[in-house]
Amino acid sequence: MNTFLDKMKAETLDDQTTKRLHSRILELSEIGFTEDQGSKRMGYSKFETEAKKKIINWMKDVGMTVRTDGAGNVFGRYTGHDDSQVFMAGSHVDSVPNGGHFDGVAGVLSALEIAELWHEENYTPAYSYEVVIFSDEEGSRFNSGLTGSRAFMGLIDEEELDKYRDPEGKTIDEVLGNIDSNRKKFLATDGPDYKIKMYGEIHIEQARQLEEKNLPVGIVSGIAGATRTNITFRGEAGHAGSTPMHQRKDALVQASEFIRTLPEVATSISTTAVATVGKMKVSPNGVNVIPGEVQLVVDARDINEAQQAELIQAIRRHAEKITAQSEVTVDVDLTTRITPIPIGKDVIAKMEESFRRQDQIPVHLPSGAGHDAMSVGTKHPITMLFVRSIRGISHNPEEFSHISDLRDAVLILKDFFENFE
Ligand SMILES: [Zn+2]
């Protein structure tokens, strides 16, 4: 099998941008490099800090002024004509325990590359431009997620912080001590009042729609909000040998029918709706016992709020309809509902123009996963580009994207900022 380093060696580098992205990805990959050539850079670890430091030096080399906030987020500012508002672009540099070298890193280095090109072209953007590195996006430290960007936007409170324990049992206070911060500084956020004209994030797709379409870059049409619904099917446990078929109240038979037909429920709502049952508990869970109870969780997502609401309702009706024809009863309980983040139609239209100017075909893709843009998007306008992922693989050492695809994304986002008013 081709390893990360083999694949990097085989890349075609035909301009300054591909060369710079290539060498920087390699340099960052050395920080927390794993045995199977993956990346291990947990949020707030010494490796994440080391990666940030390396990028801070690159930021300074291109003339940026750099500051760090209480959540460890790094902001490099490149001065534009109007300094009262900013264009912002970035992502994260932490990884899952054995992840790849593109998730997050691709977005930060691409954002920085825009400044590199402006610097070379002696170009001054209309507004000041900030490259941001958000801390602990993956949330593998505290079993959270989007930690830095949510802190920046004031979406994390004391109560949530109190619950944080890392794998070694350390509290947030102990962990923040390592980065010269503390709880008070962490909670003192300025994101909501920040004058962000537009936030842009380039991220690997982590799916294979672009590969299927044979396109390097796509426009994210919205970021799906996850919902969780706990569904409990209640029948009656009984002897698997002595209970005749017509007398059974088998909870698992009903649950199975529910799961089997769930894909149709999602596709009936929209082309972007998805629904999954990935967790289920059968009771009593014995080989010779008719299942008396099944608890399962439906993870369902869509990119706009109205469709998401319809999806939740449809799942409820679906469970009730299936059990209505049996003696099994059902309880449906919505436990989590994260608001999807829409991306403005006008923003998407402007992005399409940038695609065309850069000789690229604009294609729309929903984002099923959360990204830092999701936090920023709660208060500010955002745009996102996905870059083709080889075989859609991510959170895995095999994760890979072609450097030339990244370059294409850089040129599109750069064009977008240059033409955004
Ligand atoms: Zn990511």
Side-chain angles (χ1 to χ4, degrees), residues 92 103-104 137-138 203 371:
H92 59 98
D103 182 350
E137 190 270 350
E138 301 290 359
H203 202 280
H371 296 291

Coordinates of all heavy atoms in Angstrom, one line a residue, residues 92 103-104 137-138 203 371, ligand 1:
H92 N -8.2 24.2 11.4 CA -7.5 23.7 12.6 C -6.3 22.9 12.3 O -6.1 22.5 11.1 CB -8.5 22.9 13.4 CG -9.0 21.7 12.6 ND1 -8.5 20.4 12.8 CD2 -10.0 21.6 11.7 CE1 -9.2 19.6 12.0 NE2 -10.1 20.3 11.3
D103 N -6.8 17.0 7.0 CA -8.0 17.5 7.7 C -7.6 18.7 8.6 O -6.8 18.5 9.5 CB -8.5 16.3 8.6 CG -9.8 16.7 9.3 OD1 -10.2 17.9 9.4 OD2 -10.4 15.8 9.9
G104 N -8.1 19.9 8.3 CA -7.7 21.0 9.0 C -6.5 21.7 8.5 O -6.6 22.9 8.0
E137 N -10.3 21.4 17.2 CA -11.6 21.2 16.5 C -12.2 19.8 16.6 O -13.4 19.7 16.7 CB -11.3 21.5 15.0 CG -12.5 21.6 14.1 CD -13.0 20.3 13.5 OE1 -12.3 19.3 13.6 OE2 -14.1 20.3 13.0
E138 N -11.3 18.8 16.6 CA -11.8 17.4 16.6 C -12.4 17.1 18.0 O -13.2 16.2 18.1 CB -10.6 16.5 16.3 CG -10.0 16.7 15.0 CD -10.8 16.3 13.8 OE1 -12.0 15.9 14.0 OE2 -10.4 16.4 12.7
H203 N -11.7 23.0 3.2 CA -11.6 21.7 4.0 C -11.7 20.5 3.0 O -12.3 20.6 2.0 CB -12.8 21.6 5.0 CG -12.4 20.7 6.2 ND1 -12.5 19.4 6.1 CD2 -12.0 21.0 7.4 CE1 -12.2 18.9 7.3 NE2 -11.9 19.8 8.1
H371 N -17.9 21.8 11.0 CA -16.5 22.3 10.9 C -16.5 23.6 11.6 O -17.5 24.2 12.0 CB -16.2 22.6 9.4 CG -16.2 21.3 8.6 ND1 -15.2 20.4 8.7 CD2 -17.0 20.8 7.7 CE1 -15.4 19.4 7.9 NE2 -16.6 19.6 7.2
Ligands
ZN1 ZN -11.5 19.2 10.1

